[in-house]
Every structure is written in C-alpha cells, then in structure tokens.
C-alpha cells in the first residue's frame, strides 16, 4: 500500500467529544509544532452546546507557510465513536488513522488504502489513574504522546509547554507528563516511528509571509489590543458568540493599561447592556460626548443594531463596531464561520445608508485596523465596522508580531475647540466648509455659549435645525454621499499580490481573482496551485469599503475575475457590481458556505470548472466532512 509521505507538509485532524478536555490537549500539539519553528495553522470546529456533541480540531502543517485550509486529512486521530464512519471516509488514500482500540474496530470502518494505529487509550488511563475525571482528560494527553513518537515532535518541548500551561497548578504537571510518556512509549514499542509524514526542526516561510518572526494569536485578542492602543475608553456590549472574547480581552488589558498611575482610578468604562441595540446606543452616546467608544457583535446583533447605526450615520456620530461574523440567517450555526454580513453591514439601516467597512485578514491586521477604525470614525464622523469572522477571531493564527509607534497621535478629525468657536461667527454643524462632505463638529461643554446644537435623527438643515423641506434633505444626503466619496482615499487600499511568472500559459484570457479576510490565505495557495498547472491568475485583496479606484481598474484589466468569498449569495460580488457598475458576467463567484473555512482545493476546483479544464476535480458546494 502506498503511504502519504512528506516532511512538514500534512494535515492532522482530531475527532473528539465536546466537553472532554480535548481542546487543550490538541492546542498543546499545535503549539509544540510552532515552537519547533514549523509553520502551523490550527482550527477548532466545535458545536454550540456545552458538551456531548462532536467536535473537531484541524492542524495544517506547511513548510511553505500556507495558513488556510488545504482540504483533506492525512492523519486522523479519532476518539469519538459517533463520527468514526465519516472520519475514516475523510482520510486521504495512503493516509493514517489513529483510534482508541479499547473496543475493537468495526469491520466496515476498515479501508485497504489507510494505515491504522490502534491504541487502547481508555484502558491505559483506567489502569494508571484512579480519578474518573483524570481518566477522561488524560486520555487526550496520551494520544499527544503517541503523536510525538509518530511525527517526531521534540518531547522536551511538550514538557515545557505543560509547565507553562499548569504554572501555579504544579500538582497537575506530573500526571500530564506521565500520560505523555505512556503514549510515547506505546507508539515506540508497537509502531514504526516516525511515520513517512513527520516533522523536522525549522521550515521555510512562503513569499507572501514577508516577516520572518511569527507569533500565534487570535484575531479577537488582537482587536481588543487595537482598541486599547487606539484610545478606546468605552466598550458597551451584549455577549454573543463569537465576539464575546473581544470585550473580555479588552477588559483584561484595560485593567492593566487603563489605570491612572497617580490615583489608581480606572480610565475606562465597560457596560454590559440588556441587548445589542442598547449596546450600540451606549457606544454612540459615548462617541457623541467625545470618547472613543466601540461595541462588538456578530450577525444577529448587527441586525438589531441597524436602527442605531442609521442614527449615527445620519447624525454623524463616530462609533466603531467589530463584527465577528458567523453562519446565518437567524441563529444559524453560532459556532461556524462565514463572511455573510457584507451587505447587511454596508447598507445597515433603512433609507440610503452606506457604512465604512474594514476587512482584516490576519491578527496583525485586526490590531492595525481597529486603531485605524477609531481614526476613520472620528475623521469621517460616521460608524466604521471592522468585518472579522469566527475563523479569524477565535482560532490561533501565525502572524507577524504586533508593532506600535509611540509617536502615534489620534486623528480626532474636524473638532472645534473653545478658541475656534470664540472666533466663529456663523458656525453650523452641517455646513460643508471644505467641500469634502465632512463638517466641523463640537463636543459638549467646549464653550459656555457657542457650539451647542440639537442632535437629531430626523431631517435638518445645515444649522441642525429641524426641517422637512425637500431641498434641505437632498442637500444633506448628497453631502453624506460626497463624504463617502472622500472616504475612498482614506481607507486602506486593496493589496495586489506579485503575479507568478509562467513561461507558457495555457490560456489567452487574462484572469484575476478578488478576495478578502480569511478567504485570502487559501486563495493565495489555490492561485499557486493553478499557476503550476499553467493558469496564471493575478490577485487583489480587498481591504475596505468604499472601494478604491484601483479595484475598478483591476476588474477592467482582466477578462474573467473570480470573486472568492464565504457566503451563499456572493455578497461581495453584488456589492462590487452595485458600487462599481460592473456587468454581472464579468465577475464569477467562487463560494463556500458550509460553516467550515474555505479550502484551497475547493477554490482551485471551482476555478478549473469555470475554465472547463479537463482535469478539473469538481468539489460540490456542500458541507465538507468536518
């Protein structure tokens, strides 16, 4: 039987039961690989209940530094009988299957093209440990020990990580190390170690990972740090998966970094509201008073916040919203990832409304773009929504270290101080003095007599006085549109990727691909796969809405443009057609909406099908085996 071979280039997937402590053990595995200097990207695929349902943890190991999902499984570690049939089916031909052999493996689960490793995990733990809970927890650690032998993981690294994990709980270190040793010893004595797929210290980083130094970090933590460094002092929220950890992390860091050194008083306020609508209202009120304020939510919360987002847009109050997207509509799949809030966020609220959106692709960009979001919100005087997702927000990603420039100064935009108001004769809140659509604002209490105005969500004239005159309304909303045009040159520009040179391309058509957020990593890999087959594709990563003129130029320079995104209806494609006036046949959707992050293989297969490439491996648009 042919076996999959490779050094630092394979996919390991763990099939567990939610609530059994497997997540920490699986995370230990991923961190050990990272500490060996090998590029790794782990993903936790878990249900929305507390315990009892299937959960998976997928670890991509790639010497080229690919951070997206590849597709397929080379080594499956299955300790969940409920899913064993589908887990066996997901293993690549020539792959490997590790399972708990305390009970015999059913005959129908055996494949001729898969190598099986049976380890009596339950039996070993029941024999060695007396406490039932420890028996359950340490079963996971035993298979990590076995993987250390099978894949050549440096054992001292695992021991060091356990020491870090249980710092302050030293009594737990000894049984965990013992469990590791049990698994390691069993594998060495019963199997040929290491496997043809194995790890080797070090590894090369792909060209699109420009920085050599990397850290493991999730996007929600990075966004929280961005809010801290971006000057946020008010966070209003209502808990909702997968955004809850944004405000939790902000609270943790604020307790350290937002305390006045002289008095010990807190220089921040965190308010848990009764619902998402109230949370947005609190944040808008704080922004109106001059604080840098934000809230974090997901799709259902965005739906509720739409009314207040319309108020902030029309009254021109700065506020930041971090939207960590998940599967919808309604409750959808609360713990699965999608990019499906694009249209809802861009046009949130009734009437003619357009919001500034930012699309981070890495934790580093979550940090940087959160800082940018506060600057943009105040400069443009409008809501700014950062569009993350569950995959980026809750999973650990390899990322360049976060960097900060101590010379940074907040961009507060056009805010009049007391002196400016004193010298002003006819200031009006909604007078467009500079012709860019952005007016001068004041903060409450700036001047004892001047600068006051009535903030309203109803129609008004330039002086902020209530008016239902159609001419006043048209003048106001046209100015808001002019302001949105100004924003095109303030938001992050799309980012091109250096084209791959091909001596003899197999097509005369000029191909392009657009993508954003977490679709970027697998898209880069798919483009490289297709380039090796003779199909060059130029790429442009969208980083913000409103769209920069370079997006329009890119589309018109290519014959076929693929738009890669993770939703059913091609929402980014629709937004581009609507805003850039592009004909529908110019843009071809490449979609994934199963709730599991899109894979490079899925992207490549759909592009091959579109191009009628004979060797196309068509992958249907259905939920992949999780």
């Amino acid at each position: 039987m042919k076996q999959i071979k490779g050094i630092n280039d394979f996919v390991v997937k763990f099939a567990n039961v939610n609530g059994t402590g497997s997540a920490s053990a699986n995370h230990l595995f991923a961190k050990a690989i990272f500490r060996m200097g090998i590029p790794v990207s782990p993903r936790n695929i878990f249900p929305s209940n507390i315990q009892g349902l299937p959960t998976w943890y997928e670890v991509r190991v790639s010497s080229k530094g690919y951070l997206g999902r590849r597709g397929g499984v080379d080594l499956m570690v299955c300790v969940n009988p409920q899913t064993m049939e589908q887990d066996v089916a997901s293993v690549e031909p020539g792959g490997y299957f590790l399972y708990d052999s305390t009970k015999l493996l059913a005959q129908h689960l055996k494949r001729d093209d898969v190598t099986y490793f049976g380890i009596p995990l339950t039996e070993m733990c029941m024999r060695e440990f007396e406490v039932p809970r420890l028996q359950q927890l340490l079963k996971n650690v035993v298979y990590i020990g076995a993987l250390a032998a099978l894949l050549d993981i440096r054992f001292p690294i695992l021991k060091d990580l356990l020491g870090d994990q249980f710092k302050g709980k030293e009594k737990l270190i000894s049984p965990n190390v013992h469990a590791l040793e049990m698994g390691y010893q069993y594998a060495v004595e019963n199997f040929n170690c290491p496997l043809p797929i194995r790890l080797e210290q070090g590894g090369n980083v792909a060209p699109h990972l420009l920085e050599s130094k990397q850290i493991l970090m999730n996007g929600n933590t990075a966004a929280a740090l961005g809010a801290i460094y971006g000057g946020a002092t008010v966070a209003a929220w209502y808990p909702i998966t997968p955004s809850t950890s944004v405000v939790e992390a902000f609270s943790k860091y604020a307790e350290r970094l937002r305390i006045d050194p002289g008095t010990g008083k807190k220089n921040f306020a965190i308010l848990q509201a009764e619902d998402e609508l109230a949370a947005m209202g609190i944040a808008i009120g704080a922004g109106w008073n001059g604080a840098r304020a934000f809230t974090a939510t997901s799709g259902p919360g965005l739906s509720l916040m739409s009314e207040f987002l319309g108020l902030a847009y029309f009254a021109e109050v700065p506020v930041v919203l971090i939207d960590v997207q998940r599967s919808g509509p309604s409750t959808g799949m609360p713990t699965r990832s999608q990019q499906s809030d694009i249209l809802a966020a861009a046009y949130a609220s009734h009437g003619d409304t357009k919001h500034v959106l930012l699309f981070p692709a890495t934790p580093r960009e979550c940090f940087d773009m959160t800082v940018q979001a506060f600057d943009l919100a105040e400069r443009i005087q409008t809501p700014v929504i950062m569009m993350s997702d569950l995959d980026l927000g809750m999973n650990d990603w390899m990322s360049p270290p976060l960097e900060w420039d101590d010379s940074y100064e907040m961009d507060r935009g056009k805010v009049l101080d007391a002196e400016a108001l004193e010298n002003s004769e006819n200031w009006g809140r909604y007078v467009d003095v500079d012709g860019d659509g952005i007016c001068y604002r004041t903060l409450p209490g700036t001047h004892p007599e001047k600068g006051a105005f009535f903030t309203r969500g109803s129609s008004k004239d330039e002086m902020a006085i209530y008016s239902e005159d159609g001419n006043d309304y048209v003048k106001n909303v046209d100015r808001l549109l002019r302001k949105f045009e100004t924003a095109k040159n303030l938001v992050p520009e799309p980012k091109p990727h250096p084209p791959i040179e091909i001596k003899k391309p197999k097509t005369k058509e000029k191909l392009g691909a657009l993508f954003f957020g977490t679709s970027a990593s697998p898209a880069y890999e798919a483009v490289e796969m297709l380039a090796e087959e003779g199909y060059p594709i130029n790429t442009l990563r969208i980083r913000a809405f409103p769209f920069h003129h370079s997006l329009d130029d890119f589309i018109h320079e290519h014959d076929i443009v693929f738009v890669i995104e993770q939703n059913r209806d091609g929402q980014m494609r629709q937004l581009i057609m609507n805003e850039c006036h592009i004909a529908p046949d110019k843009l071809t959707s490449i979609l994934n909406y199963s709730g599991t992050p899109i894979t490079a293989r899925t992207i490549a297969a759909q592009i091959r099908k579109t191009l009628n490439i004979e060797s196309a491996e068509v992958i249907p648009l259905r939920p992949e085996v999780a």
Side-chain angles (χ1 to χ4, degrees):
M1 179 180 62
K2 291 183 178 180
Q3 293 181 316
I4 297 173
K5 300 179 180 180
I7 297 174
N8 298 345
D9 189 12
F10 51 85
V11 175
V12 180
K13 196 167 188 178
F14 301 85
N16 303 98
V17 178
N18 204 33
T20 59
S22 59
S24 59
N26 299 339
H27 188 54
L28 176 72
F29 172 79
K31 288 178 69 175
I33 297 173
F34 179 73
R35 285 206 179 178
M36 288 178 67
I38 302 169
V40 62
S41 55
R43 281 175 173 80
N44 192 15
I45 305 167
F46 60 101
S48 58
N49 74 329
I50 297 174
Q51 63 180 18
L53 288 182
T55 182
W56 291 268
Y57 191 87
E58 184 176 290
V59 179
R60 173 82 186 276
V61 181
S62 170
S63 61
K64 292 184 178 180
Y66 293 130
L67 301 181
R69 294 182 69 217
R70 183 200 70 187
V73 179
D74 300 314
L75 169 60
M76 174 66 74
V77 179
C78 183
V79 291
N80 184 3
Q82 300 174 54
T83 63
M84 193 168 284
E85 186 169 352
Q86 70 185 80
D87 293 329
V88 168
S90 68
V91 178
E92 298 276 280
Y96 310 88
F97 190 84
L98 190 156
Y99 66 100
D100 185 352
S101 62
T102 301
K103 292 185 178 180
L104 291 176
L105 188 68
Q107 191 64 35
H108 73 280
L109 298 176
K110 296 180 180 179
R111 286 172 49 184
D112 294 337
D113 58 351
V114 171
T115 302
Y116 290 82
F117 301 104
I119 302 177
L121 301 171
T122 302
E123 179 184 322
M124 292 168 68
C125 289
M126 291 181 68
R127 183 175 63 244
E128 291 292 323
F129 307 105
E130 295 181 359
V131 181
R133 180 58 176 165
L134 272 183
Q135 293 171 354
Q136 183 185 59
L137 294 174
L138 294 178
K139 180 169 66 173
N140 306 308
V141 183
V142 173
Y143 66 63
I144 298 299
L147 290 174
L150 291 167
L151 300 177
D152 221 1
I153 299 175
R154 292 182 59 194
F155 201 83
I157 290 178
L158 289 169
K159 292 179 67 175
D160 289 344
L161 286 169
L162 285 175
D164 295 342
Q165 181 177 337
F166 295 112
K167 190 174 182 179
K169 301 178 182 178
E170 279 69 21
K171 290 183 179 180
L172 295 175
I173 296 177
S174 179
N176 274 272
V177 171
H178 181 48
L180 278 177
E181 292 171 340
M182 288 166 55
Y184 189 93
Q185 193 64 32
Y186 188 93
V188 168
E189 292 175 356
N190 292 275
F191 312 126
N192 292 326
C193 299
L195 296 178
I197 55 170
R198 63 182 181 85
L199 301 164
E200 190 174 280
Q201 189 80 33
N204 298 320
V205 177
H208 60 273
L209 296 176
L210 302 179
E211 296 85 352
S212 59
K213 293 182 179 179
Q214 299 285 318
I215 59 174
L216 273 182
M217 185 177 221
N218 66 67
N220 282 359
T221 300
L225 280 167
I228 290 286
Y229 279 80
T233 56
V234 176
W237 69 310
Y238 184 80
I240 181 173
T241 301
S243 70
T244 297
S245 58
V246 174
V247 180
E248 288 178 340
F250 178 80
S251 175
K252 180 180 72 174
Y253 291 118
E255 290 287 351
R256 290 167 48 193
L257 302 172
R258 282 279 186 272
I259 304 298
D260 185 272
T263 64
K265 292 183 177 180
K266 295 179 179 180
N267 291 327
F268 66 95
I270 299 174
L271 298 93
Q272 181 174 332
E274 62 268 28
D275 54 36
E276 290 89 347
L277 181 60
M280 177 55 73
I282 293 168
I284 291 172
W288 177 82
N289 272 285
R292 287 198 155 185
F294 78 101
T295 185
T297 194
S298 188
L302 173 67
S303 299
L304 287 172
M305 292 175 179
S306 291
E307 182 178 354
F308 264 143
L309 283 167
L311 169 65
Y313 172 81
F314 201 47
E316 298 177 73
V317 180
V319 67
V320 170
L321 169 60
I322 298 171
D323 179 14
V324 189
Q325 300 168 89
R326 72 188 206 191
S327 299
S330 188
T331 305
M333 293 189 290
T335 58
R336 300 299 165 92
S337 192
Q338 278 189 359
Q339 296 173 318
S340 54
D341 295 349
I342 309 303
L343 293 175
Y347 301 129
S349 183
H350 56 283
D352 295 319
T353 311
K354 293 184 181 182
H355 296 296
V356 175
L357 311 181
L358 302 179
F359 301 102
T362 65
R364 170 71 177 272
E365 285 195 336
C366 284
F367 175 78
D368 292 338
M369 286 188 176
T370 301
V371 177
Q372 286 179 295
F374 286 104
D375 282 344
L376 288 168
E378 293 205 290
R379 185 169 180 181
I380 308 172
Q381 301 173 24
T382 196
V384 174
I385 308 175
M386 192 178 79
M387 308 294 291
S388 180
D389 61 31
L390 183 147
D391 184 23
L392 177 56
M394 294 191 70
N395 287 318
D396 280 340
W397 287 66
M398 271 179 47
S399 172
L402 308 184
E403 295 180 355
W404 183 250
D405 183 358
D406 287 330
S407 64
Y408 163 81
E409 293 183 5
M410 297 182 193
D411 185 348
R412 305 307 301 265
K414 298 180 180 182
V415 181
L416 297 178
D417 57 18
E419 182 180 357
L421 284 171
E422 188 65 40
N423 296 325
S424 174
E425 292 295 330
N426 296 306
W427 172 79
R429 173 64 181 96
Y430 299 110
V431 177
D432 185 5
V433 177
D434 302 318
D436 58 2
I438 304 173
C439 306
Y440 287 83
R441 67 184 178 119
T442 61
L443 300 179
T446 299
H447 192 282
E449 297 176 354
K450 296 184 176 183
F453 67 97
F454 193 88
T455 305
R456 62 177 79 244
S458 53
S459 183
K460 60 269 184 181
D461 65 14
E462 290 181 318
M463 306 306 289
I465 297 172
Y466 175 75
S467 171
E468 292 192 23
D469 186 300
N471 292 325
D472 287 335
Y473 174 81
V474 169
K475 190 173 184 178
N476 192 34
V477 295
D478 282 352
R479 179 185 55 77
L480 290 173
L481 189 59
R482 188 161 62 250
K483 182 170 73 169
F484 198 72
E485 287 296 312
T486 298
K488 290 183 178 181
N489 294 316
L490 300 177
V491 299
E493 296 182 18
K495 193 171 185 178
H497 186 58
I500 301 172
E501 297 295 332
I502 298 177
K503 291 183 179 179
K504 294 182 179 181
K506 295 181 180 179
T507 178
K508 294 181 180 180
E509 293 175 307
K510 196 169 183 182
L511 308 177
L514 300 171
F515 42 80
F516 58 98
T518 53
S519 296
S521 292
Y524 285 131
E525 182 177 1
V527 166
E528 291 186 24
M529 291 165 59
L530 292 163
E532 291 177 359
E533 298 170 17
Y535 297 91
I537 302 176
N538 298 319
T539 66
L540 192 70
R541 178 162 66 88
I542 298 169
R543 297 198 295 166
F545 174 73
F547 301 126
H548 190 264
H549 66 82
S550 58
L551 173 64
D552 193 67
D553 295 340
F554 180 88
I555 293 171
H556 285 95
E557 288 168 0
H558 293 84
D559 300 311
I560 299 176
V561 178
F562 301 102
V563 185
I564 302 167
E565 51 186 312
Q566 301 184 64
N567 56 71
R568 184 195 67 183
D569 295 337
Q571 294 185 26
M572 180 62 78
R573 175 176 176 269
Q574 291 184 50
L575 191 61
I576 293 170
M577 289 192 302
N578 191 41
E579 296 293 327
C580 301
H581 308 292
I582 303 297
D585 58 358
K586 189 65 180 283
L587 303 176
T588 300
S589 285
I590 303 297
L591 304 174
N592 173 74
Y593 43 90
S594 64
T596 54
I598 193 169
T599 69
R601 289 182 180 180
T602 295
I603 295 169
Q606 290 187 45
I607 291 176
R608 290 192 197 103
K609 185 178 181 182
T610 301
L611 298 177
N612 294 315
I613 300 172
E614 291 183 1
S615 60
E617 177 193 352
V618 179
I619 299 178
L621 290 176
R622 60 175 177 78
E624 299 177 54
V625 176

XYZ file of all heavy atoms in Angstrom, residues 412-464:
410
model
N -8.440 63.085 15.534
C -9.778 63.394 16.046
C -10.666 64.057 15.008
O -11.846 64.292 15.250
C -9.689 64.309 17.283
C -8.833 63.800 18.433
C -9.208 62.408 18.893
N -10.564 62.260 19.335
C -10.973 62.342 20.620
N -10.089 62.601 21.566
N -12.224 62.157 20.938
N -10.087 64.345 13.823
C -10.894 64.931 12.770
C -11.176 66.406 13.004
O -10.443 67.104 13.714
N -12.261 66.870 12.425
C -12.614 68.293 12.462
C -13.421 68.598 13.727
O -14.661 68.658 13.705
C -13.404 68.666 11.217
C -12.623 68.470 9.911
C -13.472 68.865 8.711
C -12.727 68.673 7.401
N -13.534 69.091 6.232
N -12.702 68.814 14.830
C -13.336 69.141 16.103
C -12.926 70.559 16.487
O -11.729 70.876 16.573
C -12.910 68.155 17.207
C -13.601 68.517 18.525
C -13.252 66.728 16.811
N -13.892 71.417 16.701
C -13.613 72.808 17.077
C -13.386 72.915 18.579
O -14.172 72.389 19.378
C -14.770 73.717 16.666
C -15.056 73.822 15.162
C -16.266 74.722 14.925
C -13.850 74.357 14.414
N -12.320 73.604 18.980
C -12.086 73.852 20.395
C -12.710 75.189 20.782
O -13.326 75.888 19.950
C -10.590 73.825 20.724
C -9.777 74.829 19.907
O -10.379 75.778 19.341
O -8.535 74.691 19.848
N -12.548 75.596 22.030
C -13.195 76.820 22.537
C -12.692 78.059 21.797
O -13.475 78.962 21.479
C -12.937 76.945 24.035
N -11.402 78.090 21.502
C -10.847 79.251 20.810
C -11.431 79.389 19.407
O -11.781 80.492 18.969
C -9.328 79.129 20.738
C -8.643 80.325 20.069
C -7.133 80.184 20.017
O -6.602 79.180 20.546
O -6.484 81.059 19.423
N -11.528 78.265 18.692
C -12.084 78.305 17.342
C -13.548 78.752 17.375
O -13.995 79.514 16.504
C -11.957 76.932 16.696
N -14.286 78.285 18.373
C -15.680 78.697 18.486
C -15.803 80.177 18.838
O -16.700 80.881 18.362
C -16.393 77.852 19.542
C -16.754 76.423 19.130
C -17.245 75.622 20.329
C -17.816 76.423 18.035
N -14.904 80.652 19.661
C -14.919 82.069 20.060
C -14.744 82.980 18.855
O -15.335 84.068 18.776
C -13.810 82.320 21.083
C -13.840 83.705 21.718
C -15.078 83.922 22.566
O -15.497 82.990 23.271
O -15.641 85.049 22.503
N -13.922 82.509 17.896
C -13.641 83.322 16.710
C -14.599 83.037 15.568
O -14.435 83.560 14.466
C -12.204 83.070 16.240
C -11.185 83.519 17.271
O -11.389 84.511 17.959
N -10.085 82.775 17.384
N -15.585 82.160 15.813
C -16.532 81.792 14.760
C -17.798 82.635 14.880
O -18.323 82.834 15.972
C -16.878 80.308 14.869
O -17.877 79.971 13.950
N -18.274 83.118 13.727
C -19.473 83.935 13.728
C -20.730 83.113 13.412
O -21.725 83.196 14.108
C -19.329 85.059 12.687
C -18.283 86.098 13.050
C -18.651 86.885 14.300
O -19.861 87.069 14.558
O -17.730 87.307 15.020
N -20.647 82.300 12.352
C -21.846 81.589 11.895
C -21.577 80.090 11.731
O -21.818 79.532 10.671
C -22.328 82.187 10.563
C -22.759 83.629 10.701
O -23.594 83.956 11.536
N -22.183 84.499 9.883
N -21.064 79.487 12.792
C -20.801 78.052 12.703
C -22.114 77.277 12.611
O -23.083 77.576 13.310
C -20.016 77.583 13.934
C -19.882 76.074 13.982
C -19.011 75.307 13.289
C -20.684 75.169 14.756
N -19.198 73.976 13.567
C -20.227 73.861 14.474
C -21.740 75.332 15.655
C -20.780 72.722 15.056
C -22.294 74.207 16.225
C -21.817 72.912 15.936
N -22.123 76.291 11.747
C -23.278 75.408 11.624
C -22.789 73.973 11.598
O -21.827 73.648 10.897
N -23.459 73.115 12.307
C -22.978 71.736 12.453
C -22.875 71.014 11.116
O -21.958 70.210 10.925
C -23.931 70.960 13.392
C -23.632 69.471 13.482
C -22.266 69.193 14.092
N -21.965 67.765 14.161
C -21.264 67.084 13.255
N -20.793 67.719 12.175
N -21.026 65.798 13.395
N -23.756 71.284 10.192
C -23.760 70.518 8.953
C -23.447 71.388 7.729
O -23.928 71.146 6.631
C -25.098 69.802 8.791
C -25.355 68.833 9.935
C -26.345 69.094 10.889
C -24.574 67.691 10.098
C -26.560 68.221 11.946
C -24.780 66.819 11.161
C -25.765 67.093 12.086
O -25.971 66.229 13.149
N -22.598 72.370 7.948
C -22.113 73.212 6.854
C -20.829 72.599 6.303
O -19.873 72.366 7.040
C -21.840 74.652 7.324
C -21.264 75.487 6.182
C -23.122 75.284 7.861
N -20.792 72.354 5.000
C -19.624 71.746 4.355
C -18.663 72.861 3.940
O -18.684 73.333 2.797
C -20.061 70.915 3.150
C -18.904 70.151 2.520
O -17.786 70.193 3.070
O -19.111 69.523 1.461
N -17.800 73.244 4.839
C -16.883 74.354 4.599
C -15.821 73.999 3.563
O -15.474 74.804 2.695
C -16.196 74.781 5.918
C -15.175 75.889 5.670
C -17.245 75.234 6.928
N -15.294 72.778 3.633
C -14.137 72.397 2.812
C -14.502 71.667 1.521
O -13.608 71.341 0.727
C -13.188 71.510 3.630
C -12.713 72.202 4.901
O -12.393 73.408 4.811
O -12.663 71.548 5.957
N -15.781 71.381 1.321
C -16.194 70.739 0.087
C -15.945 69.244 0.019
O -16.106 68.625 -1.040
N -15.532 68.617 1.147
C -15.265 67.176 1.160
C -16.388 66.388 1.811
O -16.279 65.170 1.999
C -13.942 66.889 1.861
C -13.897 67.400 3.302
O -14.923 67.950 3.771
O -12.838 67.270 3.950
N -17.472 67.084 2.166
C -18.608 66.422 2.792
C -18.490 66.263 4.294
O -19.455 65.884 4.953
N -17.316 66.539 4.849
C -17.084 66.380 6.292
C -17.173 67.755 6.951
O -16.413 68.662 6.626
C -15.700 65.749 6.568
C -15.567 64.421 5.834
C -15.512 65.549 8.069
C -14.176 63.809 5.899
N -18.091 67.889 7.889
C -18.329 69.169 8.543
C -17.537 69.263 9.847
O -16.959 68.287 10.321
C -19.820 69.345 8.822
S -20.844 69.125 7.353
N -17.541 70.445 10.439
C -16.865 70.653 11.722
C -17.852 70.375 12.854
O -19.004 70.805 12.816
C -16.321 72.082 11.814
C -15.115 72.289 10.928
C -15.264 72.573 9.570
C -13.829 72.170 11.441
C -14.160 72.737 8.741
C -12.715 72.339 10.631
C -12.896 72.614 9.282
O -11.786 72.760 8.482
N -17.378 69.633 13.847
C -18.237 69.274 14.973
C -17.699 69.870 16.264
O -16.554 70.316 16.342
C -18.375 67.756 15.106
C -17.096 67.027 15.507
C -17.310 65.521 15.520
N -16.079 64.801 15.846
C -15.907 64.006 16.887
N -16.904 63.830 17.750
N -14.769 63.376 17.085
N -18.539 69.850 17.270
C -18.140 70.297 18.603
C -18.472 69.202 19.607
O -19.302 68.337 19.343
C -18.891 71.581 19.009
O -20.300 71.307 19.043
C -18.618 72.714 18.034
N -17.803 69.265 20.740
C -18.086 68.328 21.822
C -18.810 69.057 22.945
O -18.584 70.256 23.170
C -16.776 67.719 22.346
C -15.944 66.949 21.317
C -14.664 66.429 21.953
C -16.750 65.809 20.721
N -19.705 68.388 23.657
C -20.459 69.042 24.741
C -19.530 69.697 25.764
O -18.517 69.115 26.171
C -21.231 67.878 25.362
C -21.351 66.865 24.279
C -20.089 66.979 23.487
N -19.883 70.931 26.154
C -19.137 71.624 27.197
C -17.887 72.332 26.727
O -17.132 72.846 27.547
N -17.665 72.387 25.410
C -16.443 73.016 24.906
C -16.451 74.521 25.156
O -15.421 75.101 25.507
C -16.288 72.735 23.391
O -16.198 71.335 23.181
C -15.033 73.413 22.841
N -17.584 75.155 24.973
C -17.696 76.609 25.115
C -18.980 76.918 25.881
O -19.995 76.257 25.686
C -17.727 77.269 23.726
C -17.564 78.745 23.746
N -18.587 79.618 24.070
C -16.483 79.526 23.475
C -18.152 80.870 23.990
N -16.873 80.839 23.621
N -18.960 77.916 26.775
C -20.155 78.188 27.588
C -21.344 78.711 26.794
O -22.498 78.590 27.239
C -19.667 79.249 28.591
C -18.477 79.880 27.946
C -17.826 78.786 27.144
N -21.105 79.287 25.613
C -22.203 79.900 24.867
C -22.325 79.409 23.435
O -23.420 79.402 22.877
C -22.029 81.430 24.843
C -22.081 82.068 26.223
C -21.802 83.554 26.167
O -21.465 84.042 25.072
O -21.914 84.222 27.211
N -21.201 79.020 22.840
C -21.211 78.668 21.422
C -20.976 77.168 21.219
O -20.407 76.498 22.067
C -20.135 79.452 20.669
C -20.361 80.956 20.672
C -19.304 81.655 19.830
C -19.577 83.160 19.734
N -18.590 83.838 18.869
N -21.398 76.693 20.075
C -21.104 75.313 19.689
C -22.185 74.318 20.031
O -22.059 73.138 19.683
N -23.237 74.751 20.694
C -24.311 73.821 21.031
C -25.225 73.614 19.830
O -25.446 74.525 19.033
C -25.108 74.338 22.212
N -25.745 72.426 19.681
C -26.703 72.133 18.621
C -27.534 70.941 19.053
O -27.139 70.189 19.954
C -26.001 71.854 17.281
C -25.190 70.586 17.271
C -25.716 69.404 16.761
C -23.892 70.567 17.778
C -24.970 68.239 16.766
C -23.136 69.403 17.766
C -23.681 68.234 17.264
N -28.681 70.776 18.404
C -29.560 69.666 18.743
C -29.251 68.497 17.811
O -29.377 68.605 16.595
C -31.023 70.087 18.607
C -31.970 69.100 19.225
C -32.322 69.203 20.572
C -32.508 68.061 18.484
C -33.194 68.293 21.147
C -33.372 67.141 19.049
C -33.720 67.262 20.391
N -28.808 67.380 18.392
C -28.503 66.194 17.596
C -29.797 65.440 17.347
O -30.495 65.072 18.283
C -27.503 65.288 18.337
O -26.339 66.045 18.675
C -27.102 64.112 17.467
N -30.077 65.165 16.091
C -31.356 64.540 15.765
C -31.177 63.509 14.651
O -30.290 63.597 13.813
C -32.384 65.594 15.366
C -32.012 66.374 14.133
C -33.111 67.371 13.738
N -33.077 68.585 14.554
C -34.061 68.933 15.377
N -35.125 68.171 15.512
N -34.000 70.055 16.049
N -32.061 62.530 14.654
C -32.089 61.545 13.588
C -33.089 61.897 12.509
O -33.201 61.187 11.510
N -33.802 62.983 12.705
C -34.754 63.440 11.696
C -34.066 64.440 10.767
O -32.952 64.890 11.011
C -35.970 64.080 12.365
O -35.556 65.084 13.275
N -34.727 64.776 9.689
C -34.146 65.677 8.697
C -33.909 67.062 9.294
O -34.657 67.524 10.166
C -35.078 65.770 7.488
O -34.512 66.581 6.490
N -32.856 67.721 8.807
C -32.488 69.035 9.341
C -31.788 69.842 8.250
O -31.408 69.307 7.208
C -31.572 68.905 10.564
C -30.255 68.190 10.292
C -30.344 66.713 10.519
C -29.031 65.993 10.356
N -29.145 64.531 10.551
N -31.604 71.119 8.529
C -30.849 71.947 7.589
C -29.392 72.013 8.037
O -28.974 71.310 8.970
C -31.474 73.337 7.463
C -31.425 74.147 8.753
O -30.673 73.758 9.691
O -32.128 75.162 8.850
N -28.596 72.866 7.407
C -27.165 72.939 7.700
C -26.872 73.375 9.125
O -25.804 73.074 9.670
C -26.485 73.892 6.720
C -26.414 73.365 5.293
C -25.705 74.328 4.381
O -25.941 75.562 4.494
O -24.901 73.875 3.546
N -27.820 74.098 9.745
C -27.612 74.605 11.095
C -28.127 73.623 12.152
O -28.191 73.951 13.328
C -28.297 75.961 11.256
C -27.896 76.994 10.208
S -26.107 77.234 10.099
C -25.807 78.088 11.643
N -28.499 72.408 11.724
C -29.009 71.348 12.602
C -30.413 71.643 13.102
O -30.862 71.044 14.079
C -28.074 71.106 13.784
